[in-house]
Amino acid sequence: MSPEFFAVSAVIIAAMAFDYTNGFHDAANAIATSISTRALTPRIALAMAAVGNFIGAHLGGDVAKTVGDGLVKLELGIPSLAVVFAGVVGAVTWNLITWWFGLPSSSSHALFGGLVGATLVAGPALGEVQWRTIVDKVLIPMVASPFVGFLLGFIVMVAIMWIFRRGNPGKLNRGFRIAQTISAALMSLGHGIQDAAKTMGIVVLALYTGGFQDNATHIPWWVYITTATMLAAGTYSGGWRIIRTLGRKIIDLGPAEGFAAETVASSVLFFNAYVLHAPISTTHTITSAIMGVGATKRLNAVRWNVAGNIVIAWVTTFPAAGLIACAYYFLVRPLFT
């Protein structure tokens, strides 16, 4: 077998490892609110999230093309595969660090930061960062999505409170628990569309850079299946540390609040995937929606110290993953020659 085959295989294995950690790291995005409000049992919620992620992975082709062809431009050949490998492993490392501390950081921005960091340290001889795409598709959504999620979460929750202001609390809670089954399913689908697509983009980038296909946008059928399966498996394994943070530590969620947050977050994910074709962070979106929903009770209903730690993780994810990827690049560069 050729050296190109082994190099591309190493990158694909690393991408699948990222996909798996993305699944258990970001499982909380889809189901934490449903578990905390007792709308779904943990295992049913995880199973539903896994199925939603699997299905959604087959619907995220536009986002995958942005990741595979729009963020960095690499020269063809084995040395460039060291850049991709280091970027992905840097993202996996940051995912594990933030998972250990129970922080819902963005797997997406860890991946983007890893790719950018490894590309920069490799130098222009191997590749260049497409800064226009980074700004338009990554940095602007990174800043805008938390504000949009917070504002829409607040507005939708206020609307729910006004519409059902004369309703029976017991009946309303039961009704919203049922409604949460639908909103959590949509959130799982949106997570699959967004996050599986990012891994697919990395695999396609590796195939193109290694010379196994002649363009950086075509996604083979087996890439859909493999990526979807790994994301679903990671999701079903659960990420309980982060689930506890999102579901219980930011605010005390009720069924109506959970439904509002999930509905807002899934709507933003679908809009970005199919209208803007932007790889937005599911973590930023759902977390900010939860904060916005909680703020309708009173501002101090949100545990801002926990929220502050989460925001710090958001801000540091891109550069931290990039720095880790730089270190990995120097370690693995001799292996990709």
Side-chain angles (χ1 to χ4, degrees):
M1 295 182 183
S2 67
E4 289 83 3
F5 175 82
F6 285 107
V8 170
S9 297
V11 174
I12 293 175
I13 290 170
M16 291 304 110
F18 169 79
D19 204 30
Y20 186 85
T21 62
N22 189 354
F24 75 71
H25 191 280
D26 288 6
N29 295 338
I31 60 171
T33 53
S34 298
I35 292 174
S36 67
T37 62
R38 296 181 175 85
L40 297 169
T41 64
R43 283 301 166 192
I44 289 176
L46 281 168
M48 185 177 71
V51 172
N53 279 323
F54 185 87
I55 295 172
H58 292 78
L59 305 175
D62 289 335
V63 175
K65 291 173 183 177
T66 299
V67 175
D69 190 41
L71 300 182
V72 297
K73 290 288 186 183
L74 298 174
E75 295 294 322
L76 301 184
I78 294 177
S80 293
L81 291 171
V83 176
V84 185
F85 183 86
V88 175
V89 176
V92 171
T93 302
W94 185 251
N95 271 357
L96 293 174
I97 291 171
T98 51
W99 166 79
W100 178 258
F101 289 102
L103 293 173
S105 66
S106 170
S107 295
S108 306
H109 293 152
L111 181 60
F112 303 153
L115 276 179
V116 169
T119 302
L120 288 175
V121 77
L126 288 183
E128 63 177 337
V129 178
Q130 303 292 93
W131 287 112
R132 180 62 181 271
T133 305
I134 293 291
V135 171
D136 291 346
K137 300 291 188 179
V138 177
L139 297 182
I140 291 177
M142 180 173 69
V143 174
S145 62
F147 288 103
V148 172
F150 185 94
L151 181 61
L152 290 180
F154 185 90
I155 292 172
V156 169
M157 192 61 216
V158 168
I160 288 174
M161 292 166 63
W162 186 83
I163 293 170
F164 297 101
R165 63 190 183 280
R166 294 188 179 91
N168 179 278
K171 290 183 178 180
L172 288 176
N173 280 340
R174 288 192 292 272
F176 277 112
R177 283 195 178 97
I178 295 171
Q180 264 199 280
T181 303
I182 300 172
S183 62
L186 290 174
M187 187 66 202
S188 301
L189 191 66
H191 180 260
I193 290 171
Q194 281 285 343
D195 283 41
K198 292 150 192 170
T199 302
M200 289 191 290
I202 294 299
V203 174
V204 169
L205 178 61
L207 292 171
Y208 173 69
T209 304
F212 285 88
Q213 63 182 50
D214 57 6
N215 67 76
T217 58
H218 172 66
I219 306 172
W221 66 268
W222 63 266
V223 175
Y224 281 101
I225 297 296
T226 306
T227 303
T229 301
M230 290 301 294
L231 184 65
T235 298
Y236 189 71
S237 70
W240 298 108
R241 294 172 185 269
I242 297 173
I243 287 174
R244 283 191 290 270
T245 298
L246 274 182
R248 300 174 186 173
K249 292 184 179 180
I250 299 176
I251 65 167
D252 294 319
L253 287 169
E257 290 89 349
F259 171 78
E262 290 170 344
T263 300
V264 165
S266 59
S267 299
V268 173
L269 293 177
F270 285 118
F271 179 82
N272 277 273
Y274 291 116
V275 177
L276 302 180
H277 309 304
I280 197 172
S281 168
T282 56
T283 304
H284 290 191
T285 306
I286 185 61
T287 307
S288 58
I290 290 172
M291 293 178 188
V293 164
T296 60
K297 297 181 177 181
R298 60 188 187 282
L299 282 178
N300 62 3
V302 179
R303 298 183 181 96
W304 294 107
N305 59 327
V306 176
N309 291 335
I310 292 171
V311 171
I312 291 172
W314 288 357
V315 173
T316 57
T317 288
F318 192 94
L323 289 173
I324 294 170
C326 289
Y328 277 123
Y329 175 75
F330 285 113
L331 289 174
V332 303
R333 181 176 59 180
L335 304 177
F336 288 81
T337 56

